[in-house]
Amino acid sequence: MGLNSRRANWWLYGVLTVGLVAVVAPFVWMVLGSFKTEGELRQSPPTWWPQDGTLDNYTQLFSRLDFGGYFTNSVIVAAAVTAGNLLFCSMLGYAFAMLEFRGKRALFVVVMTTLMIPGVVTFVPLFVLVANAGLVNTLPGLFLPFLVSPFGVFLMRQFIIGLPKDLVDAARVDGSGELGIFARIILPLCGPALATLGILTFLGSWNNFLWPLVVAQTEDTYTLPVALALYSTGQNSTNYGLLLAGATVVVLPVLVVFLVFQRRFIEGIATTGIK
Amino acid sequence: MTATTAPPASAGASAARAEGRAAWILALPFCLLFLAFTAWPVLQSLFMSFTDTRSRDLRTPFAVDFVGLDNYTKAFADPVFRRAMLNTAYFVLVGVPLTLTIALAAAVALNRGIHRFRSVFRLGFYTPVITSIVAVAVVWRFLLQEDAGLVNTVLGWVGIDGPNWLGDQHWSMPALILMATWRNFGTGMIIFLAGLQSVPWQLHEAAAIDGASAWQRFRHVTLPMLRPTILFVSVTTGIGYLQFFEEPFVMTSGGPLNSTISMSMYTYNQFGFGNYGYAASLSYVIFVLVAVVTAIQFRLLREGD
């Protein structure tokens, strides 16, 4: 048995390593490819390491195209969406977890049933709403509809419900106001949950595509995924090096954030089950 | 935020009122944004789906003609939408089991099979999940090229002459499923790893003493214990796959010959043509499908208890 299981073990390491290479290789190829010339990218068979590395693709990306601007737009939208979710979802999450109020159960049911509503259901009337408010092709038009999410409320409620309720009662005895208790006692204890929600929300906004595609109609409001998708299907669709450099610019910041905060990411996924 | 200094003994009703008021103040921003940007659009989408709203009616959304179920009957008679439904079913029915199988295999291997480098594998397998679908779709479009693509080059090493993945109507959908599986199995793997922690090791030991092989233990001990987790992962994956959009948008534009057009993508196209009422009805068809899948999940999970 012992020998047998050791042999099985090496076999397993082999399979897992092949799997790991298959999963990671596209990213490595993307980054290396972004430093290749057009000619090299069209070679068959494809090369792995750049033969004569060039920064041309990146120079073009930030001079001929405005990827610096799209990057800024993505950051602004993601930051606004994250800030809104952290604040508003923790407020309601606290009310659901610790306070008694009329209509609590009904409100909770409504919020939870909308957890599963796909974005494709609401984008047409949402566009009409945003268009009538004059917000098409503006950054607020991109982030306002995403400032709150049922998922965020659920995550914060689940965390706060695990905190001792005595904290709240004791603060009341000491004469703290209800809102003060939330701001000064509960919120500082929510660090881990806020970090998880913040990371997941920022990431979701950074990668969001359908809504920005609908609302951002000229280059000055494009976010990175919109710009990349439209260039890859439009005029620059045959400009391989440029597209790989663009994909690298979209993916790399997220990859770095992920590697730094990976433990919190994975715990967040495992406990909530939602990415 | 004035501090109420009323002593707790005499608090009673007024304290409860203060608590209720505070709760609603805390709930207010969420409720306003939620009403404006979720609840209202959901209802208006339903209303629009029964009208002939077009883009020129943008400023007068209620001054449009009511057409009853016309949009829905048109949708189910529309050959392209029918193709989109078939394609979506293909994507979900092949993609979900494939994604789940790989996720479960990876989780089991990482949980019991190996002891070193476990976190390295976990991290690597999860990486594609966090990346933009648009970006990976752009990259995969190059990887899947017929001659200069990395995938066919690797297949060539083992003597397989790879197809023109995205240019052949029979291979385009398998190619998208392959990419979606690659990108998404990490989520399932992480949830399965958490679920596997709850399978008591004593059960495995007892089964092993009774002479059960590794496969038999997996089949009769691990799988039944994981049932709720498997259901959960299959439903969340299924809901995501039912709405697949970026992959055909970037990689194939729905082609060749509509072989990869999805329900979401066709809905978006109709919106782009200005057919808002029609697009709303298509989005409600997707909504109903998602709701049905969710309802089945709850039913099955309850039976599992």
Side-chain angles (χ1 to χ4, degrees), chain B residues 194-217:
Chain B
L196 285 168
Q197 308 292 322
S198 66
V199 178
W201 184 236
Q202 296 92 311
L203 275 180
H204 272 278
E205 280 184 339
I209 289 167
D210 289 345
S213 69
W215 170 252
Q216 282 171 325
R217 276 179 283 148

Side-chain angles (χ1 to χ4, degrees), chain A:
Chain A
M1 181 87 191
L3 191 74
N4 207 350
S5 77
R6 171 162 294 180
R7 195 183 303 140
N9 225 276
W10 283 116
W11 182 81
L12 206 56
Y13 274 109
V15 173
L16 284 170
T17 305
V18 170
L20 189 65
V21 169
V23 167
V24 174
F27 293 118
V28 178
W29 189 81
M30 168 188 80
V31 175
L32 293 178
S34 69
F35 296 108
K36 291 176 191 167
T37 59
E38 281 304 304
E40 186 178 350
L41 281 165
R42 277 163 220 278
Q43 269 177 35
S44 173
T47 57
W48 193 247
W49 200 255
Q51 287 162 338
D52 32 20
T54 168
L55 286 170
D56 273 7
N57 297 318
Y58 288 97
T59 322
Q60 277 204 53
L61 210 57
F62 290 98
S63 59
R64 189 166 72 78
L65 307 177
D66 186 21
F67 264 66
Y70 313 145
F71 194 94
T72 312
N73 289 342
S74 276
V75 170
I76 292 172
V77 170
V81 168
T82 307
N85 272 276
L86 289 183
L87 181 62
F88 300 141
C89 294
S90 58
M91 283 162 67
L92 183 56
Y94 167 66
F96 276 145
M98 295 273 189
L99 302 179
E100 288 309 320
F101 58 100
R102 200 180 299 210
K104 176 177 172 178
R105 181 170 288 270
L107 185 61
F108 186 68
V109 169
V110 169
V111 171
M112 285 305 108
T113 47
T114 55
L115 200 58
M116 293 289 186
I117 291 180
V120 69
V121 173
T122 53
F123 86 90
V124 181
L126 203 52
F127 178 77
V128 175
L129 187 78
V130 166
N132 285 334
L135 293 175
V136 168
N137 223 9
T138 65
L139 292 183
L142 288 172
F143 63 70
L144 275 178
F146 294 96
L147 288 184
V148 295
S149 70
F151 165 70
V153 173
F154 182 64
L155 191 138
M156 293 313 297
R157 172 190 179 265
Q158 292 307 94
F159 183 82
I160 295 172
I161 225 166
L163 298 175
K165 194 146 196 283
D166 300 353
L167 284 173
V168 178
D169 295 333
R172 278 186 191 141
V173 172
D174 290 347
S176 299
E178 292 288 341
L179 300 181
I181 295 175
F182 168 71
R184 280 192 293 271
I185 296 173
I186 298 297
L187 216 47
L189 292 173
C190 289
L194 289 172
T196 302
L197 179 60
I199 292 167
L200 293 178
T201 308
F202 194 93
L203 190 66
S205 174
W206 186 267
N207 292 340
N208 192 15
F209 180 59
L210 177 59
W211 180 248
L213 179 67
V214 168
V215 173
Q217 302 192 333
T218 57
E219 290 188 14
D220 49 323
T221 51
Y222 282 177
T223 58
L224 282 174
V226 173
L228 184 61
L230 293 181
Y231 286 130
S232 79
T233 55
Q235 289 172 350
N236 292 294
S237 65
T238 51
N239 206 335
Y240 296 171
L242 202 59
L243 292 175
L244 287 178
T248 306
V249 169
V250 178
V251 166
L252 220 50
V254 163
L255 225 50
V256 170
V257 171
F258 171 63
L259 291 176
V260 173
F261 294 107
Q262 46 124 339
R263 192 165 292 278
R264 200 164 291 299
F265 257 98
I266 287 177
E267 275 164 15
I269 306 305
T271 47
T272 62
I274 301 171
K275 57 178 178 205

Side-chain angles (χ1 to χ4, degrees), chain B residues 123-147:
Chain B
L123 194 65
F125 289 155
Y126 188 71
T127 302
V129 175
I130 56 147
T131 55
S132 149
I133 306 185
V134 170
V136 296
V138 164
V139 175
W140 273 79
R141 221 177 63 193
F142 296 127
L143 297 179
L144 290 167
Q145 280 175 334
E146 187 172 15
D147 295 320

Side-chain angles (χ1 to χ4, degrees), chain B residues 40-52:
Chain B
W40 170 250
V42 166
L43 295 176
Q44 213 202 343
S45 199
L46 185 63
F47 172 81
M48 278 174 110
S49 75
F50 297 114
T51 68
D52 63 353

